[in-house]
Amino acid sequence: MELFEAKNVDKVFAATQALTDVSISVKEQSIFGLLGPNGAGKTTLIRIINQITAPDRGEVFLNGQKLTRADISKIGYLPEERGLYKKMKIGEQAIYLAQLKGLSKQEATRNLKQWFEKFEIMAWWNKKVEELSKGMQQKVQFITTVVHKPKLLIFDEPFSGFDPINTNLIKQEILQLRNDGATVIFSTHNMGSVEELCDDIALINKSVKIEDGPTDKIREKYKSNIYEIKYRGDYNNVNHSLGQQYKIIGHSEMEKENHLTIQYLNGNSNNDLLQALMPVSEILSFEEVIPSMNDVFIKAVEESNKK
Amino acid sequence: MNNTLLILKNEYLKRVKKKSFIILTLLVPFLFAGMFALIIFLSLNNDKKERTIAVFDESTLFLGEFGEEEYTKYHFIPKEEYQDLKTNLKNTDFYALLYIPGNIYSNNTAQLISEKQLPIELGEQIERKLSRFIENDKRQKVIAESGIPDLEERLASTSTRVQLNTLKISDSGETQKSSSTIAFIASYAMGFIIYFFVFMYGAMVMRSVMEEKKSRIIEVIISSVKPSQLMAGKIIGTALVGLTQVAIWIVLGVVVLIGVQAFFTPESAQEMGQSLMETQSQMNPAMAQAADQNKVMEVMEMIGNLNLPLILFSFVFYFLAGYLLYSSLLGAVGAAVDNDEDSQQMVLPVTFPLILSIMLLFPIARNPEGPVAFWASIIPFTAPVAMLARVPYGIPTWELLLSMFLLILTTVGAIAAAAKIYRVGLLMYGKKVNIKELIKWLRYKN
């Protein structure tokens, strides 16, 4: 069941084409990665979802219904460029922002206090924003994004400004929110976190969607016959035995075993490789390398730029 | 709760709770009170310094005729001492040295020598003394030569002062006492109040918009509310801050006034009145006559004869429309720029008509029927100040209606344009904006 759908969305700013016929669909209770190089159009799409701008063409749906102004309270948005009122007290400010999302004052206060206690930041309640460090402010911003229990959460670079410990905390919170029923759209350049968190992704480059689907399937799709072999034996013999059939991408010699990364060149099978290696070494393990999201990203974008 | 209302409340409370707001609001009436108290105090203690002025009278006309005043004494000295003093005034007790030359009758000049800057009043005092004396002397001679015994009385009886009572014929044909002076004061004051508030609170709206943009909270806010709601909340909230301030000032003003009355006992008030009267009669003896009449009653009557309901209505209308017009434009400027230098560059073109209208206030109030007054009060950008300056004098209904109509039209248009610039500008960073760019933004759809 799709919680969110965008269909054939076009958006033009003056002379810049920001989105060209982009469609995405986000399954309920999943984490969806919205990826792409800088200036690809991700933020524009996110702003369309938040009804900050309207698409020139195309439609967006929430829960199968066309998105309306009334849906605002069902969405929580943490923008990439974010801030808080510097002179306002944290608690007061968080209540105000929650009220703007449709919570009553009592509800807002209650929910916020729960979150503040969970993050162990109750002591900040009466402080002004300018007294907090950037990381502290990010925590407050995260809370104000999720406090009204939105069905759809949109995080744009949520980890920027966090140290590894807090990054992990936020990651756990995002997963928890998903498990509790929220659907998450997540935009980042941190591909490691995409691998960890995202069920599905869409990759946008130069206003066009160039790839989308489940994260593991896409990674699978970008496999390029690269294998990693752990063995015991002499590297020179192995190298000689492999001959011109394989491209050696890397090798390293450890105390007890050697690692070798190679690419098949001429439609070799796994058995061919094993046959070539067995006479000269003891094979400890052998597996195909699934490309990292980082590799997928670079490869997909470069290919699309060539077209 | 409605979002606009929430924003309004937040804007309002944020400002009203600020220390600087509280301090300024409480302080201003006391500053004014203090200023007036100081002026009154100074005028009561005006010039109480004992002075002795050395007089060398070469003409020998005035010897012993000079008398003395409360705080100024005159001491006549011979020529030798004069020569001495002239070079050595500093080491004597004399405040100044008056030299009356022998030919004062023919060339009407004397010298007052001092080593410090002398009060203007003292110079005028001595001038009056000398002039009156010589004038009297000459007159006596003329009278004696003419041989008419009661000439002096007859001449005195020719002194005439015409008092012009300005009357205005109302539509119903009744004549009413009117006063250009009162209308002038009213128009000037109202024009200025509008200028002051539109400028101050319009700028406040602009700063508030800029703050949200600069702190980057804006994207979160407009993902919750429409930019138009945000702008409306801001503008109305800020207007309420202004009204709160005025209300506090009125209350404090009344309190301070009562306090001042209690502080200055009736005797001191009388004394003050007298001293004011004295200076007035000294400056212009004819005015003293007028002061005798029951001026207060007359002023009250003339204020009553102004068209107060119309003035009040116009004041409220032009105040609101002017504020809406300029604060929405300034709000758009705040959204369009992302640093203070750029904002200053953009503010001037926007507020220029307002500044122009305050400069035109004086010519308009002097000649409320002239072409300057007419056009300034019809053109919407100057109308809030200019038209209000004309209203106390009475104004043709069609002009008032035309001006209001055009102002409403312009304000609505300005709000629409501002909303558009606002929406585009809020999320536009790092772009140097100019008028051309803004016009481009106006053409953007959504």
Side-chain angles (χ1 to χ4, degrees):
Chain A
M1 167 76 193
E2 266 75 42
L3 181 91
F4 174 80
E5 260 186 299
K7 283 184 181 161
N8 312 102
V9 171
D10 275 356
K11 180 77 192 177
V12 180
F13 289 116
T16 342
Q17 182 85 27
L19 291 171
T20 312
D21 200 27
V22 171
S23 303
I24 61 167
S25 61
V26 181
K27 289 198 281 293
E28 189 161 6
Q29 240 188 316
S30 71
I31 299 179
F32 184 91
L34 188 59
L35 314 178
N38 294 325
K42 287 169 296 176
T43 302
T44 304
L45 183 57
I46 288 174
R47 284 181 182 166
I48 286 173
I49 303 171
N50 281 298
Q51 300 177 65
I52 292 171
T53 48
D56 296 342
R57 195 176 68 91
E59 285 168 331
V60 274
F61 298 91
L62 191 72
N63 252 336
Q65 305 283 314
K66 260 184 118 172
L67 197 66
T68 64
R69 208 65 214 170
D71 293 321
I72 284 283
S73 61
K74 298 179 191 144
I75 301 176
Y77 174 36
L78 183 69
E80 181 179 6
E81 296 285 359
R82 47 193 178 246
L84 293 164
Y85 291 106
K86 289 200 174 61
K87 305 273 179 202
M88 260 175 110
K89 285 181 183 158
I90 301 288
E92 218 177 322
Q93 165 153 215
I95 290 173
Y96 172 57
L97 293 174
Q99 279 181 297
L100 286 182
K101 282 291 191 186
L103 291 191
S104 71
K105 193 165 184 178
Q106 293 80 355
E107 233 180 322
T109 315
R110 199 175 54 234
N111 292 2
L112 282 167
K113 292 216 157 145
Q114 277 171 10
W115 275 103
F116 272 56
E117 263 152 28
K118 192 173 186 184
F119 279 20
E120 297 171 344
I121 57 172
M122 253 337 265
W124 302 352
W125 190 268
N126 279 319
K127 284 197 174 163
K128 283 185 179 169
V129 171
E130 47 193 2
E131 298 172 57
L132 300 190
S133 76
K134 189 159 181 235
M136 293 165 158
Q137 295 183 25
Q138 301 272 34
K139 270 191 186 173
V140 177
Q141 281 156 351
F142 180 83
I143 293 174
T144 58
T145 309
V146 302
V147 67
H148 57 292
K149 302 195 171 93
K151 282 206 72 73
L152 180 63
L153 279 163
I154 301 167
F155 296 111
D156 200 346
E157 290 293 355
F159 306 124
S160 70
F162 278 125
D163 61 38
I165 293 168
N166 282 321
T167 301
N168 201 43
L169 174 79
I170 297 296
K171 262 182 204 164
Q172 297 313 315
E173 288 304 332
I174 291 176
L175 287 170
Q176 186 61 49
L177 286 164
R178 194 264 316 262
N179 295 342
D180 291 346
T183 306
V184 179
I185 295 178
F186 173 45
S187 174
T188 183
H189 289 134
N190 179 342
M191 292 303 141
S193 61
V194 174
E195 281 166 29
E196 268 177 80
L197 296 174
C198 293
D199 303 307
D200 303 280
I201 63 141
L203 185 53
I204 296 174
N205 185 36
K206 292 182 176 167
S207 87
V208 182
K209 184 181 75 180
I210 54 175
E211 197 64 77
D212 70 342
T215 313
D216 39 9
K217 282 205 178 129
I218 288 180
R219 286 174 70 189
E220 196 87 6
K221 185 178 157 192
Y222 279 82
K223 283 194 299 198
S224 46
N225 288 327
I226 293 175
Y227 290 79
E228 189 175 77
I229 304 131
K230 291 176 185 163
Y231 66 97
R232 286 202 191 104
D234 184 47
Y235 171 67
N236 288 328
N237 295 342
V238 167
N239 191 7
H240 183 76
S241 177
L242 288 173
Q244 299 301 309
Q245 300 291 311
Y246 308 90
K247 181 183 169 197
I248 293 176
I249 292 170
H251 82 93
S252 58
E253 291 176 34
M254 310 278 177
E255 208 167 311
K256 288 181 177 161
E257 58 186 45
N258 295 338
H259 293 189
L260 182 68
T261 315
I262 58 160
Q263 187 173 27
Y264 294 4
L265 290 180
N266 303 321
N268 299 310
S269 74
N270 295 347
N271 285 351
D272 295 335
L273 177 73
L274 291 176
Q275 269 169 11
L277 285 178
M278 271 196 295
V280 291
S281 67
E282 179 193 348
I283 297 168
L284 298 174
S285 76
F286 162 80
E287 63 179 335
E288 183 164 15
V289 175
I290 299 169
S292 66
M293 267 323 290
N294 210 38
D295 295 334
V296 171
F297 184 97
I298 292 169
K299 200 166 172 191
V301 169
E302 276 176 353
E303 271 172 19
S304 111
N305 283 347
K306 267 182 224 154
K307 279 177 200 162
Chain B
M1 213 193 301
N2 178 306
N3 277 338
T4 309
L5 221 70
L6 265 173
I7 293 162
L8 189 158
K9 197 175 136 204
N10 182 54
E11 285 288 328
Y12 177 80
L13 289 178
K14 201 164 67 182
R15 296 198 182 286
V16 171
K17 282 197 288 189
K18 248 191 197 165
K19 276 199 200 92
S20 58
F21 174 84
I22 297 170
I23 292 172
L24 189 76
T25 308
L26 294 183
L27 224 56
V28 162
F30 290 101
L31 279 178
F32 271 98
M35 211 170 74
F36 279 117
L38 191 72
I39 291 171
I40 291 167
F41 177 79
L42 287 180
S43 70
L44 282 181
N45 294 288
N46 190 18
D47 219 13
K48 288 206 169 152
K49 203 171 151 194
E50 294 267 354
R51 301 188 184 108
T52 308
I53 293 174
V55 184
F56 168 51
D57 183 9
E58 203 176 49
S59 68
T60 67
L61 282 166
F62 300 91
L63 278 173
E65 296 278 346
F66 244 59
E68 51 182 49
E69 278 139 52
E70 202 174 351
Y71 300 110
T72 315
K73 295 193 165 50
Y74 299 94
H75 177 75
F76 285 84
I77 50 169
K79 186 168 187 173
E80 304 79 56
E81 207 179 334
Y82 166 68
Q83 298 294 358
D84 222 33
L85 270 178
K86 210 175 168 185
T87 53
N88 201 19
L89 193 61
K90 203 186 287 181
N91 301 323
T92 65
D93 289 337
F94 293 117
Y95 183 76
L97 180 58
L98 177 65
Y99 167 55
I100 305 172
N103 60 354
I104 183 156
Y105 246 77
S106 51
N107 73 353
N108 295 338
T109 50
Q111 279 173 7
L112 188 60
I113 304 159
S114 164
E115 29 152 32
K116 40 187 168 282
Q117 193 60 44
L118 290 168
I120 295 171
E121 216 178 295
L122 181 70
E124 284 174 349
Q125 216 172 49
I126 293 171
E127 264 173 17
R128 267 201 303 275
K129 230 184 236 304
L130 293 173
S131 312
R132 213 175 287 164
F133 186 89
I134 295 171
E135 209 177 292
N136 254 332
D137 198 55
K138 283 181 181 165
R139 187 180 289 164
Q140 292 308 327
K141 277 186 193 146
V142 171
I143 290 168
E145 277 167 19
S146 72
I148 308 168
D150 58 348
L151 183 63
E152 181 152 25
E153 289 76 41
R154 285 165 68 184
L155 278 176
S157 70
T158 61
S159 162
T160 317
R161 185 169 180 272
V162 175
Q163 198 177 346
L164 194 64
N165 286 323
T166 45
L167 298 173
K168 224 178 77 184
I169 299 176
S170 70
D171 294 340
S172 55
E174 288 171 64
T175 54
Q176 293 177 322
K177 264 197 182 160
S178 76
S179 163
S180 301
T181 316
I182 301 244
F184 184 81
I185 292 170
S187 71
Y188 214 93
M190 285 194 297
F192 207 79
I193 289 172
I194 291 215
Y195 169 80
F196 179 73
F197 272 88
V198 166
F199 218 102
M200 183 158 139
Y201 290 100
M204 212 179 258
V205 169
M206 183 183 80
R207 276 199 305 276
S208 160
V209 174
M210 278 180 72
E211 186 207 332
E212 278 178 350
K213 193 178 173 187
K214 261 162 81 179
S215 71
R216 306 256 179 182
I217 184 131
I218 189 65
E219 194 160 351
V220 172
I221 301 284
I222 58 172
S223 72
S224 307
V225 302
K226 282 192 213 157
S228 54
Q229 287 176 319
L230 181 60
M231 194 156 108
K234 246 181 221 310
I235 288 177
I236 301 168
T238 308
L240 290 181
V241 174
L243 290 178
T244 307
Q245 198 160 40
V246 173
I248 293 174
W249 282 345
I250 289 174
V251 171
L252 280 180
V254 170
V255 171
V256 165
L257 211 67
I258 293 169
V260 167
Q261 274 176 347
F263 178 72
F264 288 103
T265 54
E267 294 93 70
S268 72
Q270 223 168 25
E271 193 184 332
M272 190 181 87
Q274 262 171 9
S275 82
L276 280 178
M277 210 83 100
E278 269 167 33
T279 41
Q280 250 186 11
S281 57
Q282 271 171 15
M283 284 188 307
N284 185 354
M287 261 176 75
Q289 275 182 334
D292 289 336
Q293 293 165 8
N294 200 340
K295 201 82 179 174
V296 178
M297 283 304 292
E298 209 171 312
V299 168
M300 293 307 285
E301 191 193 338
M302 284 188 280
I303 289 178
N305 283 339
L306 289 173
N307 191 345
L308 281 180
L310 178 72
I311 291 177
L312 208 65
F313 167 75
S314 320
F315 180 76
V316 172
F317 175 85
Y318 281 101
F319 184 91
L320 287 179
Y323 169 74
L324 278 178
L325 175 63
Y326 278 100
S327 61
S328 58
L329 289 177
L330 286 169
V333 167
V337 299
D338 53 14
N339 59 64
D340 292 330
E341 296 103 76
D342 284 4
S343 81
Q344 269 152 28
Q345 246 171 45
M346 295 289 301
V347 164
L348 191 65
V350 171
T351 53
F352 180 73
L354 197 59
I355 298 168
L356 183 73
S357 64
I358 200 77
M359 293 194 302
L360 290 177
L361 198 54
F362 193 70
I364 289 171
R366 279 182 67 106
N367 182 9
E369 302 291 320
V372 173
F374 175 79
W375 287 109
S377 59
I378 293 299
I379 294 168
F381 289 96
T382 50
V385 172
M387 183 51 100
L388 216 60
R390 291 181 65 194
V391 168
Y393 294 97
I395 182 149
T397 311
W398 73 268
E399 280 185 30
L400 191 63
L401 287 178
L402 178 65
S403 161
M404 285 180 166
F405 174 72
L406 288 178
L407 183 56
I408 290 174
L409 218 63
T410 312
T411 303
V412 170
I415 290 174
K420 204 143 203 189
I421 291 174
Y422 190 69
R423 209 174 40 203
V424 177
L426 281 179
L427 294 173
M428 196 80 79
Y429 289 95
K431 203 165 205 167
K432 189 101 178 151
V433 284
N434 48 38
I435 300 291
K436 215 172 111 191
E437 186 73 28
L438 289 184
I439 290 168
K440 208 165 86 190
W441 291 5
L442 286 178
R443 297 214 202 98
Y444 282 175
K445 40 193 176 349
N446 271 320

